[in-house]
Each structure stands twice: as structure tokens, then as C-alpha cells.
Amino acid sequence: MKKYQLTIVFLGLIFMQGYGQGRGEDLLPEIEIGFKTITTGNYYSNKGIPSLNIPVLNEGERTISDFSDSYFMIGARQKLYKGWRGQMVLGFSFPDANTGLGQVFYNQIMARVENKKNIITIGRTTTQTTLGSFTTFRDDDVMQFNYILNPFSSGINTEDNQYANVLEYTHIFKDRLYVTLHGENYQSFSNPNDYSLNGIGGSIVYRVPESQVWKREIIKEIGVSSVNFDIENPNSPGSNTYLSNLASYVALNIHPDPVHFVDFKVLNITNFGIDGISDITSYDDYTRSKSQSFFGMVRYLNRKLERPNYQISLGGGYKSLPEINGGANQYVLISNMFYRIGNNFDLLVQYRYHENRGELTPLLGKSQHRFQVGLSFSFNKIFNNQFDDRNSILNLEHGYIK
């Protein structure tokens, strides 16, 4: 049945393309399809059995084929009155194995209206739980260091931290300063049918347009974000409190050369936590205790004939939970390389070492070596092209070369 549905979608797009050309294209919306397939062979060597049922953190060694986080999206954009335009996106991805999300996870079901200075988004989409995009295979490769973690999650599904039902407003000043207010409904593991507003916050981000990335400005992007979760107060049963997190991010053009490009990105997340948590006995304690985390990555991108040729990145992160008895901290080291073997087709190699210490060891396991080799292919096609690519459909998801 799914094959027939996809066939109907593609035939419909072809018909609309021909119809638009014959009847006047500006009467029809712009249609865009996009997908990304990422497949890797993963070798794991783990120490310590965690109490959480995390699929890849079992004792011993495993070699598996992984196509998680591959996705397909279809969207439409339409001219509106008085200089506005509207957009809708429907997308699904393939989650990690044994997560309980099924074979397919709907990651994008949203509508957006915007003009030159304002953007309003409603629906399920990516959240403000991270500020920067790092050049890892998948955006959840270092999630415990570069994402504000969802305190309603059980810790099994990475998607709990990446996506939510959102209501978001952004105003753009001088084409570079993005000021955003947002409210979210994060899925609760204990109450999955609760669709109330349980997250609010805002962000301020200064971002140099992509068209000017090769200029000699050292600051490429800098921003700060606040995410506050409305949770039950463990110190006062029957009442709620806010669990507040603050993230800051900076991306620097160390060597903004069109051929030999080098940049550096660093992200800090401060979790102000809930008073009284001094032991880690569950994932709730882990996400709700006070913590400081840092993650940074330096990247070298080689371009040939104005196209990416290959890219090498090296990064590391550290997270500490200072108020836990006996101490608790974790760190990660990660390195990868991407080599373009065809148009939007890449060969991938990545190594990661992750270690948990103190009271985090029983919950998350002691350590893990992970080596991955894989292939990635991304594609997008626009029918009845009418707009710029500020909100290209592929920009909604993680990209390791930008």
C-alpha cells in the first residue's frame, strides 16, 4: 500500500508540473520534494551494561547496518496577499531500531506563513533544544552534549529531544538578527496523550547570510537560547515548576577561503536543574539535575570548482553534574571525514569514543568505542519554482556539509 501511495504522489507531481506549464505556473503553488538516505555499517565495543534499554549500548561488540535518520519530505509554498507567503511540509523518517516508534516516525507536519521580516510556524517540527548544527553523521551522535534534553522522555528515543508540536514566532532585524519566541508540547513518556503546552522559551541569533559566508568576517553565527519545561515539582507534590536551560553558541570563520575553508563551533548548555537531586537513580534524575555541558568542533572543508570535495572534522565535549554525590560526568571525542564521490553522494567515515563516570555508569553504561563507514545521498527537486531557498525543505533537517 505504501508503494502505491508514493507512486500516486510522484505521478501527481508530474501532472502538476505539466499542468502549470500549460495554464500559467503562478496560479499553482511551488512544490518541493526532498529526501536523504544515510546508511552506515556500525562497529560497537561497549563496557558496562546500562539500566536503560538503549539498543546500541549492550555489553560486548556488535556490527550492524544502520539506516536510521533517513527521511523523505514533501512541501508546498504559495504566494499570499500583502507580501506574505505560506508553506506546508509533510515528512517522515526512519527511527532507531527498538525505540517503540514503529517503522516510520512523522518528523515534519507543519504549516508556516512568512514575509521578509516575520516567520510564524505551527505544527510538529524541529525544536529550539539546540542552537548549532555540527558536522556529525547524524544530529543525535553527540546528543547528550549539544541538545537540551527533554525531561519528559524515557531516554530511549532521541526523537523526543529533537521534535515537538510547536508554536513559534520569529522577527528578523536587518536580515541578520533572528529573535524568536516559542512554545512547545513535548511528548511525555508517562502521559503520551497530554497535548498541553509544557515548554516555552526564546532565542536571539545573529547569523551571517550564506551568500556572504566567504567574506572576511570572523563571526559566522552567535546566539543564545532559553528553553523552560513546565514539570511537576518533586519538592512540592501537586504543584508545578519550571526546569530552565540556557544555551549559548558561536560559530567562527577561522579561515573563510573559498577553497580551503576552516571554521570552529562551540556550544554551552547550562541546566539550572531542580533543587534536591543528589543521586542519579533514573533518567529523570539525569535530565533534571543541575549540569554544565560543552561541545566544540573544528572543520576543514575543501572545495573544488565551487563544489564540496571533502571535509574533515574533529570535536569533543564534556558534561558535569556538580551536585551529584560521589561525582558524575561524561565526555566524548569524535572525528569524521566526508568525501564527495558524486553529486550530493558522499562516502562517510566516523569514529566516536564516549565515557560516563561516577553515578552515570549504572544508568548509561561505562564507555563505548564506535566506528562507522557509510554512504549518504541527498536530493531535492522544486516544481514551479517561485521563491528563494531561505526555507528550503532540506534546511529543516540535519546537514553535515553547509
Side-chain angles (χ1 to χ4, degrees), residues 1-11 72 92 104:
M1 178 61 70
K2 293 181 180 178
K3 292 182 178 179
Y4 290 120
Q5 291 174 342
L6 291 177
T7 301
I8 292 172
V9 169
F10 280 110
L11 289 176
F72 174 87
F92 61 85
V104 170

Side-chain angles (χ1 to χ4, degrees), residues 198-215:
N198 55 16
I200 59 171
S203 65
I204 301 175
V205 177
Y206 172 85
R207 182 180 300 125
V208 175
E210 285 295 322
S211 60
Q212 301 180 35
V213 70
W214 307 116
K215 286 191 173 183

Side-chain angles (χ1 to χ4, degrees), residues 55-119:
V56 298
L57 287 183
N58 297 316
E59 181 75 15
E61 303 174 353
R62 297 182 65 189
T63 303
I64 61 174
S65 177
D66 185 5
F67 57 86
S68 62
D69 290 347
S70 298
Y71 59 80
F72 174 87
M73 293 187 290
I74 181 170
R77 291 195 286 183
Q78 178 69 62
K79 294 179 180 177
L80 305 178
Y81 300 126
K82 298 183 179 180
W84 289 77
R85 63 191 185 193
Q87 179 185 27
M88 63 77 60
V89 177
L90 173 64
F92 61 85
S93 66
F94 299 95
D96 295 326
N98 301 324
T99 59
L101 294 176
Q103 295 293 322
V104 170
F105 173 74
Y106 288 94
N107 54 338
Q108 302 286 343
I109 310 174
M110 66 89 169
R112 171 179 288 160
V113 293
E114 63 180 332
N115 62 12
K116 186 178 180 180
K117 298 293 184 182
N118 303 280
I119 306 172

Side-chain angles (χ1 to χ4, degrees), residues 11 17 109 117 186 262-263 266 316 319 322 328 351 354 357:
L11 289 176
Q17 172 74 348
I109 310 174
K117 298 293 184 182
Y186 292 91
V262 181
D263 67 0
V266 63
K319 186 172 187 176
Y351 168 77
H354 183 189
R357 296 175 175 177

Side-chain angles (χ1 to χ4, degrees), residues 271-303:
N271 184 344
F272 293 98
I274 301 297
D275 292 333
I277 299 178
S278 58
D279 294 292
I280 302 294
T281 59
S282 67
Y283 190 76
D284 282 353
D285 295 334
Y286 173 59
T287 59
R288 302 181 185 198
S289 62
K290 296 181 180 180
S291 66
Q292 283 279 351
S293 66
F294 301 87
F295 185 79
M297 181 166 267
V298 61
R299 170 183 68 147
Y300 168 75
L301 173 63
N302 179 274
R303 286 178 173 262

Side-chain angles (χ1 to χ4, degrees), residues 76-305:
R77 291 195 286 183
Q78 178 69 62
K79 294 179 180 177
L80 305 178
Y81 300 126
K82 298 183 179 180
W84 289 77
R85 63 191 185 193
Q87 179 185 27
M88 63 77 60
V89 177
L90 173 64
F92 61 85
S93 66
F94 299 95
D96 295 326
N98 301 324
T99 59
L101 294 176
Q103 295 293 322
V104 170
F105 173 74
Y106 288 94
N107 54 338
Q108 302 286 343
I109 310 174
M110 66 89 169
R112 171 179 288 160
V113 293
E114 63 180 332
N115 62 12
K116 186 178 180 180
K117 298 293 184 182
N118 303 280
I119 306 172
I120 302 172
T121 303
I122 303 176
R124 178 183 293 175
T125 187
T126 49
T127 68
Q128 296 283 330
T129 47
T130 189
L131 273 177
S133 177
F134 294 91
T135 52
T136 56
F137 277 14
R138 299 174 171 93
D139 52 357
D140 56 10
D141 284 339
V142 288
M143 176 164 285
Q144 294 171 350
F145 303 88
N146 69 338
Y147 270 82
I148 295 172
L149 298 179
N150 177 2
F152 306 105
S153 172
S154 65
I156 307 301
N157 305 328
T158 60
E159 289 82 2
D160 294 346
N161 308 293
Q162 300 166 279
Y163 304 97
N165 302 319
V166 309
L167 175 60
E168 185 176 293
Y169 169 71
T170 299
H171 186 78
I172 305 171
F173 296 89
K174 302 294 184 180
D175 299 324
R176 295 191 176 200
L177 188 64
Y178 292 70
V179 178
T180 300
L181 299 175
H182 54 86
E184 294 91 6
N185 165 251
Y186 292 91
Q187 184 173 4
S188 172
F189 176 75
S190 60
N191 190 6
N193 295 319
D194 182 9
Y195 296 100
S196 62
L197 186 72
N198 55 16
I200 59 171
S203 65
I204 301 175
V205 177
Y206 172 85
R207 182 180 300 125
V208 175
E210 285 295 322
S211 60
Q212 301 180 35
V213 70
W214 307 116
K215 286 191 173 183
R216 294 293 175 178
E217 297 182 40
I218 188 171
I219 295 179
K220 180 181 179 181
E221 189 172 348
I222 186 170
V224 62
S225 174
S226 174
V227 178
N228 307 277
F229 301 99
D230 185 12
I231 65 173
E232 184 176 354
N233 189 348
N235 302 316
S236 179
S239 64
N240 281 22
T241 187
Y242 278 104
L243 174 65
S244 297
N245 291 261
L246 184 67
S248 56
Y249 170 78
V250 61
L252 305 176
N253 292 320
I254 298 176
H255 186 58
D257 183 85
V259 177
H260 304 285
F261 179 74
V262 181
D263 67 0
F264 173 71
K265 302 176 181 179
V266 63
L267 173 71
N268 165 245
I269 297 175
T270 301
N271 184 344
F272 293 98
I274 301 297
D275 292 333
I277 299 178
S278 58
D279 294 292
I280 302 294
T281 59
S282 67
Y283 190 76
D284 282 353
D285 295 334
Y286 173 59
T287 59
R288 302 181 185 198
S289 62
K290 296 181 180 180
S291 66
Q292 283 279 351
S293 66
F294 301 87
F295 185 79
M297 181 166 267
V298 61
R299 170 183 68 147
Y300 168 75
L301 173 63
N302 179 274
R303 286 178 173 262
K304 186 177 181 180
L305 300 177

